[in-house]
Amino acid sequence: MFMVGAGAFVAATSVVAKALSLEGGDAAGLSPFQISAGRFAFALVALVLVLKAFPNARPAFSGVHWNWHLFRSLSGWLGVTCMFAAVAHMPIAEATAISFLSPLVAMALAALLLGEAIGTRKMLAAGLAILGAMLILRPGTDAFQLAGLWALSAAMFMGIETIFIKKLSDAEPALRILVINNAIGAAIAIAAASFVWVWPSVLQWLLLMALGTIMVSGQALFIQSMKRGEASLVMPAFYTLLVFAAVYDFIFNQVIPVPAAIIGAALIVSGAMILAANHK
């Protein structure tokens, strides 16, 4: 249930990011870099307020694995920024489905860095997921979406981030992980956004605040889920994110997935679940 809740919150961030990227009234749409900066900065503000309200919950900072945190935060910022760029130009559910290729990245890294074997089952999972991505992107046709390349990039960086999240969740307290991640992420994101900064409207400021709060809530649920259960058990529940993304996209943007996208998403999720089952 923690992971299902994380899926609901993370899907909601894509809806908010899409709204921020669109022009409305006298306000221009914000850059993915600026949206990402708002996501990290206001998530950090939300955490600071929680720590002020509950001083006994303040984490200690001895024994911090700073190198893990740095790589996790950098890959997380890149993944989030690429995802926000993707949802700005394509249906949220389709971008979300492509981002589920991240387990393939983790599998490839495990093979390259840890010497894990890639057997028949993993090859089948990879084949299904890649076929699903091709159905969604439809390269070589008029339906090809260049924005899908941003979603593919997001999948790559999220796959890298997942490895560090698991390492950190096994070694450090959840609240400390959240505080350090969002502090480092905010520093990186704000520095990058300074080159494309435009002053947000009042509504955009409110949406940026909501984005940070929603994301940190999803992060907290995700980390709690990873701490309480094996990845092979809890990660399949995270794929409910795709259902939430499709529902939100229909409610807020009146987008109905085309049949090819539905089939492609099903293939990607099937491949990801085979990979998760392979680690039981």
Side-chain angles (χ1 to χ4, degrees), residues 120-141:
T120 303
R121 193 173 185 178
K122 290 182 179 180
M123 292 297 293
L124 172 62
L128 287 174
I130 292 172
L131 177 60
M134 293 301 100
L135 282 174
I136 294 174
L137 294 175
R138 283 157 281 177
T141 70

Side-chain angles (χ1 to χ4, degrees), residues 1 5 27 52 65 104 121 144-145 148 164-165 174 181 189 192 195 212 231 233 237 246 267 271 274:
M1 294 306 297
K52 285 183 70 67
H65 298 79
L104 295 181
R121 193 173 185 178
F144 173 68
Q145 301 176 82
F164 289 105
I165 289 175
N181 167 243
F195 294 98
L233 173 66
L267 289 172
I274 289 173

Side-chain angles (χ1 to χ4, degrees), residues 16-232:
V16 178
K18 191 177 188 75
L20 284 164
S21 68
L22 300 175
E23 294 187 13
D26 296 329
L30 300 182
S31 160
F33 290 103
Q34 195 167 349
I35 298 172
S36 182
R39 167 259 178 273
F40 280 101
F42 285 110
L44 181 61
V45 170
L47 283 169
V48 170
L49 291 176
V50 169
L51 293 178
K52 285 183 70 67
F54 302 97
N56 291 335
R58 294 174 184 172
F61 289 91
S62 59
V64 175
H65 298 79
W66 289 108
N67 54 336
W68 293 358
H69 281 287
L70 179 59
F71 286 118
R72 181 265 167 107
S73 298
L74 181 59
S75 56
W77 167 70
L78 288 167
V80 166
T81 304
C82 289
M83 189 64 180
F84 289 166
V87 299
H89 301 289
M90 67 186 296
I92 294 172
E94 294 183 16
T96 301
I98 294 172
S99 74
F100 284 161
L101 292 170
S102 57
L104 295 181
V105 177
M107 179 188 76
L109 288 175
L112 290 172
L113 302 178
L114 305 177
E116 290 188 6
I118 299 180
T120 303
R121 193 173 185 178
K122 290 182 179 180
M123 292 297 293
L124 172 62
L128 287 174
I130 292 172
L131 177 60
M134 293 301 100
L135 282 174
I136 294 174
L137 294 175
R138 283 157 281 177
T141 70
D142 292 337
F144 173 68
Q145 301 176 82
L146 189 60
L149 298 180
W150 287 114
L152 286 173
S153 298
M156 179 184 70
F157 292 121
M158 289 175 182
I160 297 171
E161 183 187 22
T162 298
I163 293 175
F164 289 105
I165 289 175
K166 184 58 181 174
K167 289 172 72 71
L168 286 166
S169 65
D170 290 338
E172 298 188 20
L175 191 55
R176 185 167 81 188
I177 295 172
L178 284 175
V179 171
I180 294 176
N181 167 243
N182 284 284
I184 296 176
I188 296 171
I190 291 172
S194 65
F195 294 98
V196 293
W197 178 267
V198 295
W199 194 259
S201 66
V202 173
L203 177 59
Q204 287 172 334
W205 275 119
L206 292 174
L207 288 174
L208 287 169
M209 293 178 192
L211 179 64
T213 304
I214 293 169
M215 179 59 89
V216 79
S217 300
Q219 281 184 310
L221 291 174
F222 187 92
I223 291 174
Q224 285 299 319
S225 178
M226 293 290 279
K227 288 182 74 70
R228 294 165 187 264
E230 294 292 329
S232 60

